Amino acid sequence: MELRIIEALRRLNRGVALLVGAGLLICAAFVLTDILMRRFGTSLGGTEEIAGYAMALATAWGMAFTLLELGHVRIDLLRSRVQSFGRALFDVFSMIVMSGVIVTIAIKAWPVLERSIKNGSTANTPLETPLVWVHAPWFAGWVWFALMSCVVTLCALSLVVRGRYDETETVAGAFAEQEMLQ
Amino acid sequence: MIGYVSVALLGLLALSIPVGIVLFLLGFGIDIFGSSFPLTRGLGNMVWSSSNSATLIAIPFFVLLGEILVRSGVATRTYAALDRWVSWLPGGLVHANVATATMFSATSGSSVATAATVATVAMPQAEKLGYDPKLFSGAIAAGGTLGIMIPPSINLIVYGFLTQSSIPQLFLAGLIPGLALALAFMVITVIICLIRPELGGTRRTFPLAQMLRALIDLVPILLLFGLIVGAIYQGWATPTEAAAVGVAGAFIIALMFGGVSWDMLTQSLTGTVKVTSMIMLIVIGASFLNFTLASAGLGRELTTFMESLGLSPFGLILVVVLLYIVLGFFIETLSLMVVTIPIIVPMVVGAGYDVVWFGILMIVLIEMALITPPVGLNLYVVQGARKSGSLNEVMLGALPYCLTMLAMAFALIAFPSIALWLPNALQ
Amino acid sequence: ETLSVVGSWSGLPLHMQYEAPFWSETLPAASDGKIEVELTTHNQMSLGLGDIYPLLGQGVYDVAMTVADYAVADAPELEGLDVPLVALTADEARAMVDAARPMVDDIYADRFNAKVLAIAPYPPQVVFCNEEVATLADLEGLKIRASGRMTAKLLEALGAEGVNVSFSEVPGALQKGVVDCAVTGAGSGYSAGWWEVSTHLMPIPLGGWDSVVTAMNMDRWNGLDAATQELIAGQLKSEFEDAAWASAQDALVNDIACLTGNGECTAGDARGMTLVEVSDEDFAKAREILVSDVLPEWAERAGDDWAARWNDSVGKTVGVTIE
Ligand code: NA
Ligand code: NA
């Protein structure tokens, strides 16, 4: 059950990561176009601003993918010295703390969006981008990350309670079994 | 306060909580215990403004560039070609690790991406050929650090940004020290392997014809370096934009080598997102920690401390070196720079030192921080690419290279022209 | 009382010569030690430029000062504090700022939950060009790096093309022709070595004066007793604001001397940039564009009430009316 949930979330977030990656690729193309156009004496304008937004959104929405791929760096000097039950405890504890922090961030991200809604804020640039357009998806990305953390935490917790320690590690361990870069 | 923070940092890291999350926790801790102001109220703004950065978008671009080179097979070919040329040395393939890292440093702006690239292509070889995992993986971790010394370099972009000094000049200044450091890594490898041959594995020689044929596999990387650096020095692109140029170049090279497929593309993209998010969680956590530390008066504490020492300019530099070594154990490199530059650089420049020169000295010290535990990103990147073995092996293996970097730092202090000769000569 | 104070750019003269001495020595001494100050700067805290006042409003710190223009994302009406080209001397700029003060007070109270305590100037934002320019008309078709929204709009209206380049990348961008001109404070341009990569200096305040607003969190301010409020406001006015303004004109003259070699440079070696004197008719034309295009656009962004208020205060002082 837990493993099936995690598997579904992994597929879902791989899709999200592909979208994020495609966004970064478009951003690179945008920057390149600007460089080329400058050679011909004109310019798209605002690439720096848009690149900043792209980075903020890519970061927010990519976090959950990295989490599910067990990609957030952890130090396992102690963890690697104990048996599978101990490792499972390390993993669950780490996930609980992580969820707490990410939920806090998501909650504190709301005032940023709220302010740009309330003030109708527009970027301090010639583009005058309405900041709601970027703050809203950014906020949603952190909420998504918080949600994913909580689900992973619950799954890991449930596995530990049922004594399936090795499976906990596949859900919330320190390293992915199959490293991506291969 | 620095003491408390260090102890808490070590404790939380030992519990194997993700590094980025630990930085946030420390920030919360300082808010509660070290400051009378409700700093956590600023958390959302800090997360937004530290990730809304056109400078940092160079990170995913450089990572993507590396991913494309790896997945299209270009990296493997480069590694094999360099293997032909350097594996006759005592230490064998370990030299190929350093040489490949040096070459990829010239196309990559990030040490993490460089180490990841080299680790990916080199690790399978180590297992096949029976190398001592310590020295072999240590050389990758250390060689990877050259990514921020040899241009292009994200960290030099950030340094130039924060100190308002010229980024192209910094890039020029990093070139010779970077190459010298690469050479020094190879020399130290030879020395180690002459003393203890069992660490190095077999030395291999190849016929000259094979060596010459291998040269063609180095062309793509050299072209890519020319493209990225050329775009900057021809004035076509800013150093950050040049990363996008590099992505396009890598893509074209991959197309020519026939390594482009739908699978390769999707894996490169998801791989980039994974590595970028991993780095960014740490960068954002570091920015928040930095914000709380600054609010709680770390800057004042440091400045007062340094002034109370009443140092000569040379003494000041020695203390600064010591400071970076100590802080470098615990603080992630980009945050280490961001935290210290506003405090340290004015002092150093005020003492009569050149701001470009100090940038290069700082990069050497930051490179050390990348391979010193407990917080040394390159160690984890290399460990992440390994199938077995503990992190301790990578740490031990990196130690000799760490000492080499320290020697390089002192060489820079004794002979500033190692860094300054090239930018001055080209002016 | 301990006040946590976030200063403006730590490397610039306004902070080093006025802010830092005022907050760390003058005010604590004047209060007989009753007020203690913890001083840092927004760049030392690596705060986002747009976050400085919003965080002040949330009470993250007690006092903050930075360029008002950084906050216009949340308050477009604030652009009216620092309109380019309407104030040529420090005295005129001060008159403009004084006229705008009631507006600024209201904006900070409404938008940032903050009490404005002082407004001091950065040196005016002038134009560095690596291109032969003799008149404002020559800017047409050039790529120019602007700082701030109204300046960018004005440059666009003058036929130039705005390019976004961060401050540290400007020298390289000028040298390689990524941009032809760039706008910044004369002093910042001098100390950052822009004279190495540009030839012509147009010393008109095309970027305005970059007013630096010192403000205190409103709840914190209301929590102080009347005597303390009076002490802080009075000391700030006489020891900080007046002093900073008094030196502003001399600083501009000195910075221009340092960049062009016309006159005596006390800050270091004088450089040899060509000083471009803008003719009266040229200037009148730019003002005309400002009044006919740029300001009405601003009035639309900010809302008509603000335009009317601006006309009655700042507009009267500088002799400009938004139609
Ligand atoms: Na590099
Ligand atoms: Na370290």
Side-chain angles (χ1 to χ4, degrees):
Chain A
M1 170 67 181
E2 294 87 347
L3 294 182
R4 261 189 295 141
I5 295 176
I6 294 294
E7 196 39 53
L9 291 184
R10 279 193 180 142
R11 269 202 304 276
L12 191 58
N13 277 286
R14 183 157 298 139
V16 173
L18 258 181
L19 285 179
V20 171
L24 287 169
L25 212 53
I26 291 170
C27 186
F30 195 64
V31 172
L32 274 176
T33 315
D34 195 43
I35 295 170
L36 287 177
M37 283 174 70
R38 279 207 305 264
R39 293 284 83 211
F40 298 103
T42 150
S43 165
L44 283 175
T47 45
E48 184 162 333
E49 181 181 349
I50 289 166
Y53 299 149
M55 193 59 198
L57 294 186
T59 300
W61 281 96
M63 290 285 176
F65 173 65
T66 307
L67 171 71
L68 284 155
E69 299 288 332
L70 310 184
H72 287 296
V73 184
R74 294 166 61 191
I75 291 173
D76 71 337
L77 274 180
L78 290 182
R79 181 185 170 281
S80 60
R81 279 159 209 268
V82 296
Q83 297 300 307
S84 66
F85 171 63
R87 281 207 298 275
L89 285 187
F90 268 109
D91 292 343
V92 167
F93 177 70
S94 156
M95 272 317 304
I96 291 173
V97 173
M98 181 160 187
S99 303
V101 170
I102 303 302
V103 168
T104 311
I105 293 176
I107 291 172
K108 296 288 176 185
W110 167 247
V112 177
L113 173 59
E114 188 189 30
R115 178 160 55 93
S116 57
I117 294 173
K118 206 180 81 202
N119 287 339
S121 308
T122 57
N124 183 7
T125 58
L127 280 188
E128 291 178 56
T129 314
L131 288 177
V132 178
W133 294 1
V134 283
H135 281 161
W138 167 78
F139 169 71
W142 282 97
V143 170
W144 176 252
F145 185 25
L147 197 69
M148 292 297 114
S149 308
C150 293
V151 175
V152 171
T153 306
L154 290 178
C155 287
L157 206 54
S158 150
L159 286 169
V160 167
V161 170
R162 297 203 279 146
R164 290 155 63 182
Y165 307 127
D166 288 334
E167 288 173 6
T168 314
E169 193 163 1
T170 64
V171 170
F175 298 104
E177 245 158 45
Q178 272 184 319
E179 259 312 305
M180 300 213 32
L181 264 171
Q182 259 171 32
Chain B
M1 182 170 58
I2 300 171
Y4 290 129
V5 174
S6 309
V7 170
L9 179 64
L10 286 179
L12 291 169
L13 287 176
L15 287 172
S16 102
I17 296 167
V19 176
I21 299 297
V22 168
L23 299 176
F24 281 109
L25 286 175
L26 286 177
F28 297 151
I30 290 170
D31 181 13
I32 295 166
F33 301 112
S35 157
S36 39
F37 304 101
L39 301 174
T40 303
R41 285 187 198 169
L43 179 61
N45 296 76
M46 291 308 298
V47 172
W48 167 256
S49 52
S50 56
S51 58
N52 170 25
S53 156
T55 306
L56 292 182
I57 204 157
I59 295 175
F61 287 174
F62 281 126
V63 173
L64 179 59
L65 182 160
E67 291 269 342
I68 293 174
L69 293 180
V70 168
R71 291 182 200 281
S72 63
V74 175
T76 315
R77 289 196 202 195
T78 310
Y79 187 70
L82 288 168
D83 173 30
R84 301 271 184 283
W85 280 84
V86 296
S87 285
W88 58 272
L89 287 161
L93 208 53
V94 176
H95 294 284
N97 293 353
V98 176
T100 311
T102 310
M103 266 194 109
F104 278 94
S105 295
T107 62
S108 162
S110 122
S111 286
V112 172
T114 307
T117 308
V118 180
T120 314
V121 294
M123 268 326 160
Q125 303 299 319
E127 280 145 27
K128 229 183 290 172
L129 296 171
Y131 274 75
D132 175 74
K134 286 199 277 296
L135 194 63
F136 192 86
S137 48
I140 301 173
T145 66
L146 294 172
I148 57 171
M149 175 69 95
I150 296 174
S153 158
I154 293 171
N155 293 56
L156 280 176
I157 291 175
V158 172
Y159 180 86
F161 174 72
L162 292 175
T163 61
Q164 305 194 345
S165 48
S166 153
I167 294 169
Q169 283 220 10
L170 285 164
F171 279 12
L172 284 176
L175 190 58
I176 292 178
L179 294 176
L181 206 46
L183 199 64
F185 287 165
M186 295 179 83
V187 171
I188 196 78
T189 309
V190 167
I191 293 173
I192 291 171
C193 292
L194 284 177
I195 300 170
R196 299 192 47 194
E198 74 276 12
L199 293 180
T202 37
R203 298 166 61 174
R204 291 179 299 160
T205 50
F206 297 88
L208 186 65
Q210 256 194 46
M211 287 172 70
L212 290 177
R213 231 179 302 133
L215 283 181
I216 191 117
D217 286 331
L218 299 182
V219 171
I221 299 299
L222 291 174
L223 276 180
L224 200 54
F225 174 67
L227 183 68
I228 294 171
V229 174
I232 297 171
Y233 289 98
Q234 289 298 315
W236 298 343
T238 63
T240 313
E241 292 171 333
V245 176
V247 170
F251 199 71
I252 292 169
I253 288 170
L255 272 178
M256 291 193 319
F257 274 69
V260 177
S261 67
W262 179 246
D263 260 7
M264 169 264 182
L265 195 63
T266 54
Q267 282 173 12
S268 298
L269 288 179
T270 51
T272 301
V273 172
K274 182 182 160 189
V275 174
T276 304
S277 302
M278 182 265 273
I279 298 174
M280 284 305 291
L281 187 64
I282 298 176
V283 169
I284 296 172
S287 307
F288 178 65
L289 175 59
N290 178 22
F291 161 72
T292 57
L293 280 172
S295 316
L298 174 74
R300 272 192 307 282
E301 216 172 273
L302 263 178
T303 313
T304 322
F305 172 70
M306 298 293 259
E307 276 167 1
S308 72
L309 296 177
L311 295 162
S312 68
F314 181 67
L316 174 71
I317 283 291
L318 287 187
V319 171
V320 165
V321 169
L322 192 69
L323 186 77
Y324 275 105
I325 294 174
V326 173
L327 293 179
F329 285 120
F330 309 116
I331 306 183
E332 185 274 327
T333 50
L334 208 54
S335 17
L336 179 55
M337 290 182 67
V338 175
V339 176
T340 54
I341 282 172
I343 301 158
I344 302 287
V345 172
M347 271 194 262
V348 170
V349 172
Y353 289 101
D354 184 278
V355 67
V356 170
W357 169 81
F358 184 69
I360 303 305
L361 178 65
M362 181 189 277
I363 291 291
V364 176
L365 299 168
I366 296 257
E367 283 187 72
M368 273 181 73
L370 274 165
I371 54 169
T372 54
V375 180
L377 264 192
N378 269 23
L379 299 173
Y380 302 115
V381 168
V382 173
Q383 175 65 17
R386 275 156 44 104
K387 290 246 174 61
S388 57
S390 81
L391 190 60
N392 299 3
E393 292 176 345
V394 190
M395 290 176 188
L396 265 179
L399 186 64
Y401 301 104
C402 209
L403 298 175
T404 311
M405 291 174 186
L406 192 59
M408 184 68 199
F410 284 106
L412 271 171
I413 294 170
F415 309 104
S417 56
I418 299 175
L420 294 180
W421 177 79
L422 191 60
N424 288 340
L426 288 184
Q427 238 184 11
Chain C
E1 298 279 350
T2 300
L3 294 177
S4 118
V5 178
V6 176
S8 59
W9 293 102
S10 63
L12 293 183
L14 181 67
H15 178 76
M16 296 190 290
Q17 290 172 14
Y18 299 105
E19 277 172 20
F22 176 82
W23 290 101
S24 45
E25 287 153 30
T26 312
L27 184 64
S31 72
D32 292 328
K34 265 182 266 165
I35 297 177
E36 282 175 38
V37 169
E38 286 180 12
L39 179 67
T40 176
T41 64
H42 66 74
N43 54 307
Q44 279 166 358
M45 293 174 85
S46 56
L47 293 177
L49 297 180
D51 290 339
I52 296 163
Y53 292 126
L55 291 180
L56 173 72
Q58 292 172 40
V60 174
Y61 29 77
D62 299 323
V63 180
M65 54 213 75
T66 196
V67 180
D69 206 33
Y70 295 162
V72 302
D74 288 307
E77 63 275 13
L78 195 54
E79 286 175 61
L81 167 63
D82 187 28
V83 174
L85 291 180
V86 296
L88 298 183
T89 63
D91 287 342
E92 288 171 18
R94 175 126 209 214
M96 170 171 80
V97 165
D98 284 344
R101 182 66 179 267
M103 271 170 60
V104 178
D105 284 350
D106 288 352
I107 296 169
Y108 273 73
D110 289 351
R111 299 279 198 180
F112 305 120
N113 182 37
K115 161 84 185 161
V116 176
L117 298 175
I119 304 180
Y122 269 145
Q125 304 275 302
V126 297
V127 191
F128 292 71
C129 285
N130 191 21
E131 185 85 13
E132 193 97 4
V133 287
T135 66
L136 278 175
D138 292 343
L139 294 181
E140 193 173 334
L142 296 186
K143 288 168 282 183
I144 304 185
R145 179 260 188 192
S147 58
R149 187 152 62 191
M150 198 179 279
T151 306
K153 296 273 181 196
L154 175 64
L155 286 169
E156 276 173 19
L158 287 170
E161 189 193 329
V163 178
N164 250 332
V165 179
S166 58
F167 184 84
S168 58
E169 286 185 4
V170 168
L174 276 170
Q175 196 166 25
K176 305 297 185 185
V178 173
V179 295
D180 305 305
C181 304
V183 180
T184 199
S188 320
Y190 175 75
S191 50
W194 287 20
W195 42 268
E196 268 186 286
V197 290
S198 52
T199 53
H200 289 66
L201 181 72
M202 224 182 238
I204 57 166
L206 211 54
W209 283 73
D210 264 6
S211 311
V212 173
V213 175
T214 304
M216 184 185 273
N217 176 282
M218 191 62 91
D219 307 324
R220 188 80 166 103
W221 172 257
N222 290 335
L224 296 173
D225 59 59
T228 312
Q229 285 182 349
E230 208 166 295
L231 174 78
I232 294 175
Q235 287 286 318
L236 259 174
K237 175 148 174 41
S238 61
E239 304 301 316
F240 169 71
E241 202 176 29
D242 289 349
W245 278 105
S247 69
Q249 187 62 33
D250 289 348
L252 173 62
V253 171
N254 181 60
D255 289 339
I256 290 172
C258 287
L259 286 162
T260 61
N262 301 5
E264 200 192 334
C265 168
T266 55
D269 295 334
R271 310 295 170 181
M273 292 184 69
T274 308
L275 185 69
V276 181
E277 298 282 5
V278 174
S279 69
D280 288 349
E281 55 188 296
D282 215 19
F283 186 78
K285 210 181 100 196
R287 276 277 290 255
E288 163 65 31
I289 290 174
L290 176 80
V291 174
S292 64
D293 290 11
V294 180
L295 283 175
E297 243 183 60
W298 168 67
E300 224 166 90
R301 277 201 294 282
D304 280 345
D305 295 350
W306 286 105
R309 238 185 121 172
W310 190 89
N311 279 339
D312 287 342
S313 54
V314 181
K316 269 210 186 107
T317 309
V318 298
V320 170
T321 307
I322 306 171
E323 301 297 330

